[in-house]
Amino acid sequence: MTLPPRGGAVPEGAGHGTPAAPLGVPLQRLLFGGVYGTVLASALASALDEGEGKPNPGYDALWILVAALAAAAAHGYAHAIAHWTGGGRRATAESVRSVLAEWPLVAAALPTVAALLGAAAGWWGEESAVDVILTVNTAALFGWGLLAARAAGQGWGPACRVGLVDVLLGLFIVSANALTH
């Protein structure tokens, strides 16, 4: 990935001239999806409760994946309809493209799904999986913040500070998890 010149931040929603991430998705959409998907998966995993029933990590993994797919579809569709114009491209085709471009949000939830599937396979308990999920996802948030700042042309010091601010999102979820359990 080629980084834009120092100070070359790209405005929200820009797609033309924006450095492309894998599969041609604009870098901003990759970063948005990464952060949003990581936070969503962390919050959902944190909400898993060992109530009265037996934990079912396979079922939980499925629902986290469904929630990520639904969030991606909703965001992509909302983005598409917000940019509809009278003389623009066909609304249906544009909507489908916009929804499919939200794959980074779903991809960011996959480590959480994988950890829960490992628990379903009996490799570890669901509670241990959630602890690992929250740790890994908090570290991933640092990475997303670092990548975003570097892509915007920031030096390593400021980029690390942005990463640490993103870590606060993860620590908020970890703290909420500790307080509610």
Side-chain angles (χ1 to χ4, degrees), residues 5-174:
R6 187 166 185 75
V10 180
E12 168 72 0
H16 305 299
T18 303
L23 300 179
V25 173
L27 182 59
Q28 286 178 288
R29 194 165 266 193
L30 174 70
L31 295 170
F32 169 85
V35 170
Y36 190 87
T38 301
V39 169
L40 175 66
S42 296
L44 292 171
S46 182
L48 297 177
D49 193 45
E50 290 138 42
E52 297 176 19
K54 183 180 175 198
N56 188 343
Y59 179 81
D60 295 337
L62 173 66
W63 276 105
I64 288 175
L65 182 59
V66 167
L69 288 166
H75 184 264
Y77 183 68
H79 185 78
I81 63 173
H83 292 94
W84 282 351
T85 61
R89 291 180 251 174
R90 289 190 31 194
T92 303
E94 185 64 27
S95 297
V96 169
R97 273 191 292 282
S98 186
V99 167
L100 292 176
E102 295 297 327
W103 68 263
L105 190 155
V106 177
L110 293 180
T112 298
V113 171
L116 288 169
L117 291 176
W123 297 343
W124 47 76
E126 186 172 83
E127 188 174 325
S128 296
V130 170
D131 291 342
V132 168
I133 288 164
L134 294 178
T135 302
V136 167
N137 286 354
T138 299
L141 286 168
F142 175 81
W144 288 121
L146 182 76
L147 179 61
R150 292 293 295 155
Q154 298 295 312
W156 285 104
C160 286
R161 285 192 294 276
V162 171
L164 290 173
V165 169
D166 279 10
V167 164
L168 292 177
L169 293 169
L171 293 178
F172 174 75
I173 295 168
V174 168

